[in-house]
Amino acid sequence: MEPFLDIDLPLPDRRDGKVRVSYALPDADGEGRRLFVTTDRLSAFDRIIAGVPYKGQVLNQLAAWWFAETADIVPNHVVAVPDPNLLVARAATPLPVEVVVRGYITGVTSTSLWQQYADGAREIYGHRFPDGLRKNTVLPNVLVTPTTKGNDGAHDVPLTVAEVAQRGLVEPRRWGEVVEAAIQLFQRGQQKAAEAGLILADTKYEFGTAADGSLLLIDEMHTPDSSRYWVADSYEDRLAAGEEPESLDKEVVRRALLTAGYRGDGEPPALPAEVWSETTRRYITAFERLTGTTFEPGAYPVPPRIMENLRHVPV
Ligand SMILES: Nc1ncnc2c1ncn2[C@@H]1O[C@H](COP(=O)(O)OP(=O)(O)OP(=O)(O)O)[C@@H](O)[C@H]1O
Ligand SMILES: [Mg+2]
């Protein structure tokens, strides 16, 4: 099966992210709408590595589910989901920071909490850490560790919560709202994940400003792309055995790349086919466990199906 990698729609103002393609949609009230197409592209180390069948659908539908489950905490950009890979959203001006929230000390990349701690750092992202912490264990408090949003392939730069306002990246009162919302969203995420037998170890949120100036949660949320999910019932045994948690996210890909000697520079190496079939399986498992529904795979190829479903979107 060929993954869904790209689309060309007859709509204005195309923007390309690593995973999503978006276009402007006209709307009646003039507030501005964007159409997001979630592709099967998989990014790691801030680069597009490969395409994984059904990944786009899982991301789009799982994010939509989470947005609905958390709309009481903070308003989000969802307007409609007219196709498994499409989202009609309220247009927003994204804040220039990614809001990372962590419940566990983990990670394999150089900016991860665990890698910095293992390298001897005890003051990380403005937070103090005691000696003797073990990898993949729960943190005493949920931590917010913002980064700048690296555009055009630039890597994200870590910031402290205080620096975001000090540097004028976000207006202080608005930043306070964002941090408060992010912690509440993460706690809701951990609670729902626990009900599904999963651990939400960490995640990343993006916020934006709507046309009327209000705060909006945008982009995606609590997907295996933006979050680390671990299987709860094998967690303790694996930790005790010194093994990595069973993860339902793209950590498997990150690890396979690292094993192949890749650190994010230059062409990524080819990985064995099982890495990709396993990744599809993990993404679908996460979707089914969290939503409690069966994943209904959409028809491939995806672009003609999207064209058909777009006819029902008011433009
Ligand atoms: N409602 C919105 N209005 C305007 N821009 C948005 C909205 N929601 C998300 N975006 C932006 O659209 C883009 C989504 O594309 P995508 O997720 O592929 O981005 P990316 O950040 O480059 O990729 P990655 O997720 O791998 O970091 C992001 O730049 C995001 O900030
Ligand atoms: Mg993104």
Side-chain angles (χ1 to χ4, degrees):
M1 147 115 34
E2 286 300 311
F4 165 46
L5 294 178
D6 201 7
I7 194 160
D8 186 14
L9 294 175
L11 289 168
D13 192 20
R14 176 181 170 124
R15 293 182 204 162
D16 271 275
K18 286 184 287 294
V19 175
R20 293 174 185 79
V21 178
S22 73
Y23 294 90
L25 278 182
D27 68 301
D29 61 16
E31 185 207 54
R33 297 264 185 272
R34 291 200 71 81
L35 179 75
F36 284 89
V37 185
T38 305
T39 69
D40 288 338
R41 301 193 295 242
L42 182 141
S43 75
F45 299 101
D46 285 331
R47 304 191 40 133
I48 299 161
I49 304 290
V52 180
Y54 298 116
K55 176 177 172 286
Q57 179 181 347
V58 168
L59 292 187
N60 193 50
Q61 293 183 327
L62 185 56
W65 183 83
W66 276 113
F67 279 125
E69 291 288 327
T70 57
D72 60 310
I73 297 173
V74 61
N76 62 60
H77 69 163
V78 176
V79 175
V81 181
D83 174 278
N85 291 69
L86 289 183
L87 171 72
V88 178
R90 294 173 65 188
T93 306
L95 302 185
V97 285
E98 306 209 331
V99 186
V100 181
V101 184
R102 304 173 192 262
Y104 286 71
I105 184 163
T106 184
V108 292
T109 63
S110 55
T111 57
S112 72
L113 218 49
W114 174 253
Q115 217 46 63
Q116 295 185 63
Y117 184 87
D119 290 343
R122 291 295 176 268
E123 172 102 18
I124 313 170
Y125 292 105
H127 300 278
R128 231 13 269 157
F129 291 80
D131 286 335
L133 294 183
R134 286 193 305 148
K135 190 181 183 192
N136 300 328
T137 55
V138 70
L139 290 164
N141 303 298
V142 165
L143 298 185
V144 177
T145 62
T147 65
T148 59
K149 227 173 119 51
N151 288 320
D152 302 323
H155 291 287
D156 301 343
V157 180
L159 297 169
T160 67
V161 167
E163 278 170 338
V164 173
Q166 282 160 9
R167 295 192 188 192
L169 293 171
V170 184
E171 192 270 314
R173 231 191 27 226
R174 177 51 53 89
W175 179 236
E177 277 179 80
V178 168
V179 171
E180 174 64 25
I183 291 171
Q184 284 191 38
L185 290 168
F186 188 69
Q187 286 168 342
R188 175 75 55 82
Q190 287 202 312
Q191 173 205 328
K192 290 264 160 210
E195 289 167 15
L198 301 179
I199 294 170
L200 176 62
D202 54 34
T203 196
K204 178 206 82 177
Y205 304 107
E206 287 189 44
F207 290 85
T209 313
D212 65 2
S214 64
L215 177 67
L216 274 186
L217 179 62
I218 63 168
D219 202 46
E220 59 158 324
M221 75 175 297
H222 295 173
T223 71
D225 260 19
S226 62
S227 314
R228 275 198 184 81
Y229 281 111
W230 296 337
V231 174
D233 61 16
S234 60
Y235 170 79
E236 291 294 345
D237 286 352
R238 284 182 169 237
L239 191 68
E243 293 166 7
E244 288 296 319
E246 192 179 337
S247 67
L248 293 183
D249 52 53
K250 59 185 182 185
E251 195 72 351
V252 179
V253 178
R254 287 196 202 98
R255 253 182 252 142
L257 288 168
L258 281 170
T259 304
Y262 188 69
R263 298 284 182 283
D265 299 308
E267 271 311 297
L271 296 179
E274 306 86 74
V275 172
W276 306 120
S277 52
E278 264 300 289
T279 303
T280 295
R281 192 188 64 77
R282 281 167 211 273
Y283 273 64
I284 292 175
T285 303
F287 173 91
E288 293 192 330
R289 288 233 200 166
L290 288 161
T291 65
T293 64
T294 304
F295 179 73
E296 308 280 358
Y300 274 63
V302 174
R305 191 193 77 210
I306 284 180
M307 287 303 285
E308 180 60 28
N309 284 328
L310 260 183
R311 293 175 15 177
H312 311 294
V313 175
V315 287

